[in-house]
Each structure stands twice: as structure tokens, then as C-alpha cells.
Amino acid sequence: MTSAESGLSERTNSISNPVEGSPRRRVVPWWVRRIGGGFLTLFAVSILIFLATQVLPGDAAKSILGRDATPEKLEALRAQLGLNRPALEQYLDWARNFVTGDFGLSLVNNRSVEELLVPRAMNTIALALCAIVIALPLSILLGSISAARRDGPLDQGISVTSLTFNALPEFVIGLGLVVLFATSVMKIFPAVSIFPPEESAFSNPAALVLPAFALVLAISPYLIRLVRASLIDALDSEYVLTARLRGIPERRILVNHALRNSMVPVVHGTALMLAYLAGGIVVIEYVFRFPGLGGLLLEAVSARDLPLIQATALFLAAVYVVVNLIADLLVVRLTPRLRGVGA
Amino acid sequence: MTSAQANAQSEQRPRSAWSVTWRTALRQPRTRVGLVLSGFVIALALFGPLLSRSDPNEFVGAPFIGPSGEALLGTDFLGQDVLQRVLHGGRTLLWMSLTATILGVLIGLAIGMIAGYSRRRVDGSLMWLMDVILAFPQIVLAVVFVSMLGPLPWLIVLVVALTHIPRVARLTRSLTADCVRQEYIEAAEAIATPKSRILIREVLPNLTTPLAVEATIRLAWSVAIIAALSFVGFGVQPPFPDWGLMINENRIGLVVQPWSVLAPVFLVAILAVGVSLVGDGIARAVSGVDERVGQ
């Protein structure tokens, strides 16, 4: 309510003084503001994680210990987590440790969180890279075919197929692949990834195949639709008409003229999908028991391993923020006329 | 850009804009297919418990026995009747995804309208707040909250709604900002119409159609996330029959008794695909003109 009222009065002010604030803004370059905004978002994200995990339930120690909670154990754990201090002090300590790279100790096996997190993160990154390296060219290809054969049977087919895969929950896609390629129908690839998390995922390529395939199926539909829409926009433009009138072959127009210009939204879309992977990967890793970050997060949550939950969640959120930031900067780089807008 | 077009169209249209859109949507085969698919699963989820003959938690035989006359879809990992559990297992998914979607869309709508109408600082800070929530992959946000407060149904509904809010708010904000620049809004402001009245009477009617599209997309997402949450074990808890949970419980028997996994997988898949086909049909009807010229 109050925010509504203040919002409306704000607007009246801005109408009476439309240029207010703009001269000061110009001094700071757009990219500094973007990066600053990214850091600010990360800061807020860390507060949210901190609130959700350490403050919200009242007593994290009780929820960690569950039934084994004796008053002495509770006291010891509270001291270890620093729960007996004021929330603000706790947060500042926690944040300082994070910034300096000290992620604390896992409550389950007393190993450092970093030691658990890093190899898993590498595996997840390997998986995500495999997925994006396959999905991106595939989507550009299928999207271009769709746009070039607009509304033809091929386009309709691609559109309905990609719509279907887009709607399917990731675990359904994953299980479908398990049924098809790992158990009932064919037995080509392992259904679960059995290798120690410390080992690199690339040394176990067979374990990568199905999870990567599942991720490709999960992210391609969006990219295909994006490429199609963006390319159709480009094909309808006047420079394409000019090129056609000059008698340039359609294939060359498509590849050299239209496709190139329609890549900007695709850069953004790819970043969005990379960021999406940070979440979708949680379920896919669970389906295939892939030793990555998503699996780690779920294990940590099951074991109520607070420091590990916080670090993993923060890392996944940070991936999103950083990837989006890079995409924003890249998009503005690619389209100079956006630089002045700064919105 | 298309939203601006859609806006311009819905302005010219008479009162029945929504019914026109709906009729155009129904003309598309995919909308009808989607309605049949999702209608089938929704009916099964709603009336399943009435059709069921017995208690879904009753043990009817040994674990993982294939389909037989007694248990048409065989038994699950504990020896419970898969068919009975399937019949009972849809309601929770259904009401949770519906409530989460409605909540998320309504709150997102309110925030987006306020942000779109207020511009500048309020707009900036509201949208920044949305970005913060957006920075969490949906499933991560849900899992973090559930980890601390426990897998309570209302909590899952709230968290899933929370993950919808920024997406809806962003859309609403851009639509509202487009709409606010129109002359009739200026006219309404000039005669000192209260702001809340402008938002509800002048702006809101322009948002209904694009929001209907968004709401169906959100519903499909809700189904996927809530099913995924119970699949990873952070949703509905064990003795209760639930499709997502059944998939997880029976996975170890996938080779021996595939029906115990496939039946709930198919139902979740059909529901998600059906809902999003309907959404796509409506979306195509809204963007109307250029799609029809193309066909």
C-alpha cells in the first residue's frame, strides 16, 4: 500500500521535473553502472540466502539436529554457527568470510566447503558446457530452417516438437532418456553416473552423454524459437528486400545478411539459458546421480548442512548474475545504439 | 513490439476482446489438442479418488509385480496398487500448481502495474528487487526455503508463487509503461481521476489478454516445478500418493515394473504439454494478424 502511494507521488514529481537526475547519471559510464548493479544484486542475493537459512526458522540449530537435539549439543552447534549473536553481526561475519574465500566447514564430515564445492562445480560446468556447445549450433540450424520455411510443414513440425519439449519437466525428459537409452529399450549409456566427484567429468565421457543430451533437449526449444523469431524479423526488414532486389541468392541473404543481424537476441537468450542451466541442472543431476553442484545442493539440504547449502545456493545465484551481466555487456557492445539508453 | 501491437488491437476491439481471442485460439488445432490433453489429466486428477475402489496405501501384493487382473498397472516398491495411487495422486499437484500460479500472477501483476506506472526510483527499485529474486534458479530458491522450514504444502505454494512474481511483474511493467503513454491515460489524469482508479479501470483491461497467455505459461511451469520438487523429495511426503513422488519411489524398479514409473511420468508430461499447448494457442491468437497472414 505505502509503496503504491509513494510510487505514484514519485511519478508526479518526475513529470514536473523530467530531466531531474539525468546530468549526474551521464558522468558514470554505462558499463560501470551495470557492473555495480550486478554486485548490488549479488549483495541482496546473499542477504536473502542468509535470511532464508539462518534467521527465518528461528533456530537453525534445532532444525539441523532434529531429534538428537540435547540442550548441550544445541548450545555447541549454536556457538559453532554463531547463532547466539545478533543477526546483523552474524551476517557481517558470514559475508566477510565469503568475500575472503572462507566458506566454512561442512557440518556433515567437517571437510571444508570449498574442498567439496570446487570439484563438483567443475563437473557441473563441464556438463553445462557440453550442453550449450551442442544446443547452440543445433538451435541456430533448426531455427534458421524454421524461419526460412516459415509456416511450411517443416516449420510446423519443428515448432510443435520444440513446444512439447519446452513444456516437459526436466526430470521427465531425463527419465525418458533413461528408459530409451539406458534400461528398457536399449542399453547403450549408463543410467547413473558412477564416478567419484573428485574425478573430472571429462575422464568419464560416457557418464556425460545422457545428462548433456537431456539438457540439450531442455534448452534448445527456447533457443530455436528465439532464433526463428529473430530471423523472421530480420528477413522482413528492408535491407533484406534490397538484397533480394539486387538478385543475391536467398541462401546467401539468409546466412550473410539476416542471420548475422539476428544474433543479438540469441546472445541474450544463450545467457538466459546458461543461467537457467544453473537451476535445471539440479534436477537433471539428481536424475542421473551426476556428481555436480545440483546433486551437492540436494544432498546438503537432505543433511541440513547449513554452510554447504549457503555456499552452493550463493554460487548458483552468482552464476546467474555474472552470466547475465556478461550478456548485457556483450549485447550493448554488439549494438552501439543501446549504449545511450542505459535503462 | 508485439505487445504494443496486441495493445493497439485490444483497444480497437469492442468489449468482447477476450471472447474473440478465445474463439481465434480455439480455431487452432493445437489449442484443441491441448485442451483435450490437459482436460483428460485434470479430470483424472479431480475424479480419480471417486473412481478408486480402495485405499491407495493398502498393500495388495509383493513389490514390483507387473500388471495383472487385480492390479491393472501392477504394484509399486512397497506392493501398493499403482493404479489406485495414480488415481489419488493428482489432486495435490493440481491444487498446488493452480494456487501458486494464481498467487504469483496476481502479486506480479500488482507489482508490475505499480512499477510501470510510477517510473523512476520506485520503478527502478521494484524491478531491481525482482532481479534479485530472478537471480535464484526457481528450484534452488524453493529448495533453500524448504530445507529450513520443511516440506510444507503451503510453503511450496508460496515459494513457487514467489518464483513467478518477477517474470509476471516484468511483463506487466512493460505493458503498463506502453499503455501509460497513451492519450486517454493523460486525459484521465487531467480530470484528476484517482491513480488507483486509472490503474484498475484504464490500464488493467489492456493487460488481461497478454496476462492470460502468461498465466497459462506460468501454470505449465508450476506443474513442472511442483512435480520436480516432489520428485527430488522436497514436496509431498511419503505415505501420501503423489505423481512426482511415485516416480522417485519406483525408479529403482524401472526395469522390473516400468508401469509404476511410466504411468505418473506420462500423466505429468501430458498435463504440462497440454497446458502449454493451450497457452501457445492463445498466444498465437493474441498476436493474431501476422500469424494468420502467414498461414
Side-chain angles (χ1 to χ4, degrees):
Chain A
M1 274 294 109
T2 46
S3 72
E5 281 157 24
S6 66
L8 297 176
S9 65
E10 190 98 39
R11 179 162 183 274
T12 342
N13 287 343
S14 71
I15 284 174
S16 61
N17 187 4
V19 285
E20 171 202 41
S22 50
R24 185 169 50 92
R25 273 190 168 183
R26 288 240 172 83
V27 182
V28 190
W30 59 272
W31 52 271
V32 173
R33 265 187 285 136
R34 286 277 164 89
I35 294 176
F39 272 109
L40 215 57
T41 309
L42 264 184
F43 171 63
V45 162
S46 74
I47 292 184
L48 194 61
I49 291 180
F50 178 78
L51 284 178
T53 52
Q54 212 146 336
V55 178
L56 198 65
D59 194 348
K62 213 173 242 165
S63 75
I64 291 165
L65 287 175
R67 287 194 193 143
D68 323 323
T70 60
E72 300 84 57
K73 273 189 184 174
L74 274 178
E75 212 38 62
L77 187 62
R78 278 197 199 114
Q80 187 189 340
L81 295 173
L83 290 175
N84 38 14
R85 292 173 300 147
L88 182 68
E89 201 182 306
Q90 279 182 51
Y91 173 76
L92 289 177
D93 245 28
W94 183 75
R96 188 181 325 118
N97 287 341
F98 255 100
V99 172
T100 53
D102 174 12
F103 298 95
L105 291 177
S106 157
L107 295 180
V108 175
N109 49 17
N110 265 339
R111 288 166 67 186
S112 84
V113 167
E114 197 186 330
E115 195 185 319
L116 291 167
L117 196 83
V118 172
R120 304 283 204 120
M122 296 316 280
N123 286 344
T124 294
I125 290 170
L127 182 56
L129 274 183
C130 283
I132 216 88
V133 163
I134 300 170
L136 195 58
L138 182 77
S139 309
I140 293 178
L141 181 71
L142 290 179
S144 307
I145 294 175
S146 239
R149 302 264 179 278
R150 188 172 168 185
D151 295 316
L154 206 54
D155 177 29
Q156 294 279 349
I158 292 175
S159 145
V160 171
T161 317
S162 64
L163 191 68
T164 310
F165 278 106
N166 193 32
L168 287 177
E170 299 97 355
F171 70 93
V172 170
I173 297 180
L175 284 171
L177 292 181
V178 168
V179 170
L180 282 182
F181 297 111
T183 54
S184 308
V185 184
M186 290 177 268
K187 280 190 179 173
I188 312 176
F189 300 110
V192 288
S193 332
I194 310 163
F195 66 91
E198 290 76 20
E199 234 170 84
S200 159
F202 284 118
S203 56
N204 298 274
L208 271 174
V209 177
L210 288 185
F213 190 19
L215 288 174
V216 168
L217 289 179
I219 60 176
S220 296
Y222 175 80
L223 290 174
I224 291 174
R225 297 183 116 196
L226 196 68
V227 172
R228 178 186 182 271
S230 168
L231 195 56
I232 282 179
D233 266 359
L235 285 174
D236 284 347
S237 69
E238 283 173 5
Y239 65 82
V240 166
L241 186 65
T242 316
R244 279 192 186 131
L245 292 176
R246 278 166 57 208
I248 297 174
E250 192 65 27
R251 181 179 291 264
R252 244 183 87 190
I253 296 179
L254 192 73
V255 177
N256 288 7
H257 297 237
L259 199 56
R260 227 178 243 199
N261 273 305
S262 53
M263 278 303 108
V264 172
V266 178
V267 170
H268 228 161
T270 309
L272 213 67
M273 282 299 104
L274 267 176
Y276 157 85
L277 277 179
I281 230 165
V282 174
V283 181
I284 291 290
E285 284 182 0
Y286 181 78
V287 172
F288 293 99
R289 303 271 188 263
F290 185 85
L293 270 188
L296 186 67
L297 177 69
L298 294 180
E299 279 167 33
V301 168
S302 301
R304 297 187 178 284
D305 191 342
L306 199 62
L308 197 54
I309 297 174
Q310 291 169 337
T312 322
L314 191 61
F315 185 85
L316 288 173
V319 168
Y320 178 92
V321 173
V322 171
V323 166
N324 255 346
L325 187 68
I326 293 173
D328 272 1
L329 297 179
L330 210 60
V331 165
V332 177
R333 243 345 315 136
L334 290 174
T335 38
R337 73 196 127 101
L338 280 179
R339 268 173 234 168
V341 181
Chain B
M1 284 126 258
T2 41
S3 64
Q5 273 173 9
N7 259 349
Q9 271 174 23
S10 52
E11 272 156 44
Q12 288 155 15
R13 275 188 212 142
R15 292 234 137 211
S16 59
W18 173 237
S19 73
V20 172
T21 314
W22 183 236
R23 247 176 278 143
T24 327
L26 274 184
R27 236 175 278 140
Q28 312 237 5
R30 65 181 75 199
T31 320
R32 275 179 271 164
V33 172
L35 276 179
V36 171
L37 292 180
S38 50
F40 165 71
V41 181
I42 291 171
L44 189 83
L46 284 181
F47 303 116
L50 306 177
L51 296 173
S52 147
R53 292 165 296 142
S54 58
D55 177 21
N57 291 335
E58 196 184 317
F59 302 106
V60 295
F64 291 131
I65 294 178
S68 66
E70 269 167 55
L72 289 176
L73 288 174
T75 61
D76 71 355
F77 76 118
L78 289 177
Q80 298 158 322
D81 188 334
V82 171
L83 179 65
Q84 302 308 320
R85 290 181 74 77
V86 161
L87 288 174
H88 279 93
R91 273 194 186 175
T92 15
L93 176 64
L94 211 60
W95 81 256
M96 282 169 79
S97 7
L98 265 178
T99 326
T101 311
I102 294 171
L103 262 181
V105 168
L106 286 183
I107 302 173
L109 172 72
I111 293 179
M113 278 173 69
I114 292 167
Y117 194 45
S118 50
R119 298 184 199 133
R120 300 227 159 240
R121 252 167 288 166
V122 171
D123 177 16
S125 35
L126 277 178
M127 283 301 117
W128 177 72
L129 195 67
M130 296 295 105
D131 276 350
V132 172
I133 301 176
L134 214 52
F136 284 93
Q138 286 178 300
I139 195 107
V140 175
L141 190 67
V143 163
V144 165
F145 274 96
V146 170
S147 72
M148 285 300 129
L149 295 180
L152 311 159
W154 61 265
L155 177 71
I156 294 166
V157 167
L158 280 186
V159 175
V160 173
L162 181 68
T163 62
H164 288 319
I165 291 172
R167 293 160 175 91
V168 178
R170 277 189 163 186
L171 174 78
T172 314
R173 174 191 171 265
S174 71
L175 292 171
T176 308
D178 279 350
C179 178
V180 161
R181 283 188 217 113
Q182 310 277 343
E183 279 172 6
Y184 62 87
I185 302 288
E186 256 176 61
E189 278 170 351
I191 57 172
T193 316
K195 313 285 181 198
S196 55
R197 203 183 150 88
I198 292 184
L199 279 179
I200 291 166
R201 299 293 292 269
E202 311 290 342
V203 178
L204 191 58
N206 289 299
L207 306 181
T208 47
T209 331
L211 268 176
V213 176
E214 183 66 15
T216 24
I217 299 172
R218 292 291 124 222
L219 182 60
W221 269 103
S222 294
V223 170
I225 291 185
I226 290 173
L229 271 175
S230 36
F231 171 70
V232 297
F234 296 111
V236 179
Q237 290 304 296
F240 204 85
D242 176 84
W243 293 342
L245 187 63
M246 285 175 70
I247 298 169
N248 197 22
E249 290 171 340
N250 297 326
R251 263 177 70 196
I252 33 162
L254 184 63
V255 188
V256 201
Q257 219 289 66
W259 289 110
S260 58
V261 179
L262 290 184
V265 163
F266 277 134
L267 288 172
V268 172
I270 293 172
L271 180 60
V273 171
V275 170
S276 78
L277 279 176
V278 174
D280 194 63
I282 303 176
R284 281 172 174 248
V286 171
S287 62
V289 193
D290 52 328
E291 293 286 350
R292 246 175 293 150
V293 169
Q295 286 183 349

